[in-house]
Amino acid sequence: MKAIVTVIGKDQVGIIAGVCTVLAEKNINVLDISQTVMQDYFTMIMMVDISEAGLTFEDLSRDLDEFGRTKGLSIRIQREDIFEAMHRI
Amino acid sequence: MLNTSEILQTIEMLDSQHLDIRTITMGISLLDCADEDIDAASRKIYEKIVSRAKDLVKVGEDIQSEFGIPIVNKRISVTPVALVGASCRERNYVKLAHALENAARETGVNFIGGFSALVQKGMTQADINLIDSLPQALSETEHMCASINVASTKAGINMDAVKLMGERIIDIAEATKDRDSLGCAKLTVFANAVEDNPFMAGAFHGPGEGDTVINVGVSGPGVVHHAIKNKKDASFDEIAELIKKTAFKITRMGQLVAMEASKRLGVPFGIVDLSLAPTPAIGDSVARILEEMGLETCGTHGTTAALALLNDAVKKGGVMASSHVGGLSGAFIPVSEDEGMIAASGKGVLTIDKLEAMTCVCSVGLDMIAVPGDTPKETISAIIADEAAIGVINNKTTACRLIPVIGKGVGETAVFGGLLGEAPIIPLHREVSTDFINRGGRIPAPLHSLRN
């Protein structure tokens, strides 16, 4: 199952490394990354495969959120389907 | 592959524009729960609802977590209780209301609807029993909603029922006067009620439905408002296009959630109701959309035209996004639940007469309107009759959810709390309609040719 991780917050050293470490610990494969920095504001969007993840979606979502809080970032994970449904016919 | 701006647009809709799924509503047939003994019927009702809906709240929460879409309410609608209660020897149906309330508490849903009767042409003894049970039933329950259909385009208006409802609404207001007559906020009086509506207070599971069904109601006034914001130079053609595109996106999300809930619960998908349902939160108002089109205050001249455009564009945009659209679909105008409407009625710009005109083009009717507590019962009936006439003649659903707030008058505010919000009490005409209402009988069904 594919999901979209979005990370939004103030730019700082080690955001990608930190998020990727959390994902790797949970056996989640990163399929695609795009990121931009606009006026010190960092936005990263990752497509990930959570089929092999060793925990429930709810726990994963909470762990990412908790990690984000320690860095002052907003991190969320959502199933890809919602974006596909909204923007693709 | 999705691009960054699309993903961020969705996130912004969810984060700052109040986009949500207003409700996942499970419709459950209770036709197999009838019994001569009201205690046996109550037990069957409770057991059937709890067995069918035991996973509803959990599934709703799981979907919310995985898709990141707030699902504000989980609800249940049931077969109009008058049909089930008709077999009971007991004439007071309050026990059936408690069965619904207990089932709602056990399953953890926010509301349960269907303490209802369909009396557009005539009333059975069971219908009268149910209507007479309303004041006690609504004052002793918290989660249960009721609705009565008093008119239809095919049957005309049952003025005996309209008269009776005026009396009972005052009784309900009295029975719940310690809570600003909150009981009346849980009762809708319909013309042309639909059988698959997921929204409260008027949800019931029509007799033409299957055993169990999942209906989803979307929302999103904030998203529509954002789409047309700062478009001062746009023509109405462009505004309509923007609303259609936004409604399409909102509805696609509703369809996704509906299909997912249907699959996980093993219950057939019914419809998506593509309504713009406001909340009292800032930035989630239908009135502010109308004002964004260029009206100084909602309720001034031009409001009806603006609402007509909005209501129609929402339907056009949403219809292609879902395999089955139904329910009440359109823009709701519940005064107490809409921050902009609260402000406009507080200023005296949004009057009862303008609201009535707006109901000719909105999706439902006079909704969540607080009126003085000393309003005569015949005046309540007369407002219901006016509203039913609009629905019957124009072949649309209309409804009245009026709250005569006992002990309060014009200039004061009724506070209901939560999604039900608060409402300034608005003035009604003081001239009485007593002789009109006391005639009784039926207003015949209208002719549907020679339309002028």
Side-chain angles (χ1 to χ4, degrees):
Chain A
M1 185 170 37
K2 288 180 188 170
I4 304 279
V5 177
T6 47
V7 183
I8 300 171
K10 195 166 164 37
D11 195 21
Q12 56 195 280
V13 173
I15 296 181
I16 298 179
V19 175
C20 287
T21 306
V22 175
L23 294 174
E25 281 168 1
K26 301 177 192 320
N27 204 25
I28 291 167
N29 191 22
V30 177
L31 304 172
D32 197 357
I33 296 187
S34 80
Q35 62 113 33
T36 52
V37 179
M38 285 171 69
Q39 294 165 346
D40 292 342
Y41 213 61
F42 177 90
T43 304
M44 174 167 70
I45 293 170
M46 309 170 96
M47 185 184 281
V48 298
D49 183 353
I50 57 169
S51 316
E52 304 294 321
L55 72 176
T56 66
F57 203 100
E58 202 179 337
D59 291 340
L60 174 58
S61 174
R62 195 196 52 235
D63 288 357
L64 283 169
D65 185 55
E66 278 173 8
F67 172 75
R69 282 170 199 276
T70 65
K71 302 275 178 196
L73 301 165
S74 156
I75 305 185
R76 65 169 82 207
I77 182 163
Q78 290 160 279
R79 293 231 330 236
E80 183 203 14
D81 317 39
I82 173 181
F83 304 101
E84 286 283 346
M86 194 177 267
H87 298 286
R88 296 286 179 273
I89 296 176
Chain B
M1 172 68 187
L2 292 153
N3 65 44
T4 308
S5 68
E6 288 169 338
I7 290 173
L8 292 179
Q9 184 191 41
T10 301
I11 295 205
E12 199 188 337
M13 284 181 184
L14 295 164
D15 260 8
S16 54
Q17 296 163 22
H18 301 280
L19 178 58
D20 57 50
I21 298 292
R22 181 54 47 84
T23 178
I24 298 180
T25 303
M26 180 183 276
I28 303 172
S29 170
L30 299 182
L31 288 171
D32 51 359
C33 299
D35 200 291
E36 274 186 38
D37 173 13
I38 196 162
D39 292 314
S42 301
R43 192 174 60 248
K44 288 184 197 173
I45 287 172
Y46 174 85
E47 283 168 4
K48 176 151 190 192
I49 295 171
V50 171
S51 77
R52 293 291 193 277
K54 62 181 186 302
D55 296 328
L56 177 61
V57 171
K58 171 78 170 72
V59 163
E61 285 168 356
D62 287 349
I63 293 174
Q64 167 165 326
S65 156
E66 288 176 32
F67 292 91
I69 312 166
I71 297 172
V72 180
N73 270 195
K74 276 69 74 177
R75 301 172 176 170
I76 295 169
S77 63
V78 297
T79 305
V81 165
L83 298 178
V84 187
S87 305
C88 298
R89 285 187 301 268
E90 170 69 47
R91 289 194 165 192
N92 182 333
Y93 289 174
V94 171
K95 280 187 177 173
L96 302 177
H98 282 291
L100 297 182
E101 176 72 15
N102 292 338
R105 286 174 192 267
E106 176 62 27
T107 51
V109 294
N110 306 88
F111 285 110
I112 185 164
F115 198 75
S116 305
L118 309 174
V119 297
Q120 58 271 25
K121 199 157 183 194
M123 290 184 278
T124 63
Q125 184 58 47
D127 296 326
I128 295 169
N129 294 347
L130 182 125
I131 291 171
D132 286 343
S133 304
L134 283 170
Q136 192 187 350
L138 286 169
S139 66
E140 290 181 6
T141 57
E142 193 182 333
H143 300 86
M144 191 198 74
C145 292
S147 56
I148 308 292
N149 191 59
V150 296
S152 76
T153 298
K154 292 230 185 291
I157 307 174
N158 181 347
M159 290 300 290
D160 294 323
V162 168
K163 179 179 183 210
L164 191 56
M165 289 315 296
E167 295 167 8
R168 289 300 158 268
I169 286 173
I170 297 290
D171 294 341
I172 297 163
E174 279 287 349
T176 54
K177 64 182 174 189
D178 55 330
R179 286 164 280 165
D180 275 353
S181 303
L182 177 68
C184 297
K186 295 184 285 175
L187 169 69
T188 304
V189 183
F190 274 120
N192 290 324
V194 293
E195 301 202 345
D196 52 8
N197 159 32
F199 284 100
M200 295 296 170
F204 64 86
H205 184 75
E209 297 280 318
D211 185 70
T212 320
V213 71
I214 286 291
N215 298 321
V216 163
V218 299
S219 182
V223 184
V224 172
H225 186 200
H226 181 83
I228 65 167
K229 206 172 180 179
N230 304 324
K231 298 278 192 300
K232 291 267 181 289
D233 300 326
S235 68
F236 284 117
D237 314 67
E238 293 168 68
I239 294 291
E241 279 300 305
L242 285 167
I243 296 171
K244 275 159 60 178
K245 286 178 185 160
T246 309
F248 178 83
K249 289 178 181 173
I250 296 171
T251 310
R252 289 277 286 183
M253 203 188 62
Q255 170 81 9
L256 173 72
V257 168
M259 297 312 288
E260 195 67 28
S262 157
K263 192 172 78 187
R264 291 184 190 197
L265 289 161
V267 169
F269 159 64
I271 55 99
V272 173
D273 185 323
L274 39 101
S275 283
L276 290 187
T279 69
I282 302 281
D284 206 17
S285 156
V286 168
R288 299 297 184 200
I289 299 174
L290 307 180
E291 290 171 359
E292 193 64 44
M293 288 189 211
L295 303 169
E296 185 181 339
T297 304
C298 176
T300 190
H301 304 292
T303 303
T304 311
L307 181 59
L309 181 153
L310 174 65
N311 199 45
D312 183 62
V314 165
K315 291 180 198 175
K316 284 175 177 161
V319 123
M320 188 183 147
S322 171
S323 51
H324 295 282
V325 170
L328 297 170
S329 292
F332 290 152
I333 52 168
V335 176
S336 78
E337 299 175 2
D338 184 305
E339 170 268 321
M341 301 242 176
I342 295 170
S345 58
K347 278 194 232 170
V349 179
L350 188 59
T351 60
I352 188 78
D353 292 332
K354 190 61 184 181
L355 280 162
E356 185 181 312
M358 289 163 74
T359 66
C360 301
V361 299
C362 80
S363 72
V364 197
L366 292 173
D367 199 9
M368 290 304 287
I369 299 173
V371 300
D374 60 357
T375 303
K377 56 186 188 297
E378 294 84 4
T379 298
I380 300 286
S381 292
I383 297 171
I384 294 171
D386 281 343
E387 197 54 32
I390 289 171
V392 165
I393 299 293
N394 294 306
N395 212 356
K396 77 183 280 293
T397 303
T398 52
C400 277
R401 191 156 47 140
L402 300 172
I403 302 120
V405 186
I406 304 296
K408 288 193 176 174
V410 175
E412 294 181 271
T413 297
V415 181
F416 309 116
L419 284 179
L420 296 172
E422 61 179 71
I425 291 161
I426 61 172
L428 302 175
H429 296 286
R430 304 300 300 184
E431 296 75 13
V432 296
S433 317
T434 312
D435 293 345
F436 177 77
I437 292 303
N438 284 338
R439 285 180 188 276
R442 279 189 283 147
I443 293 181
L447 183 67
H448 270 283
S449 57
L450 313 174
R451 292 186 68 117
N452 295 302

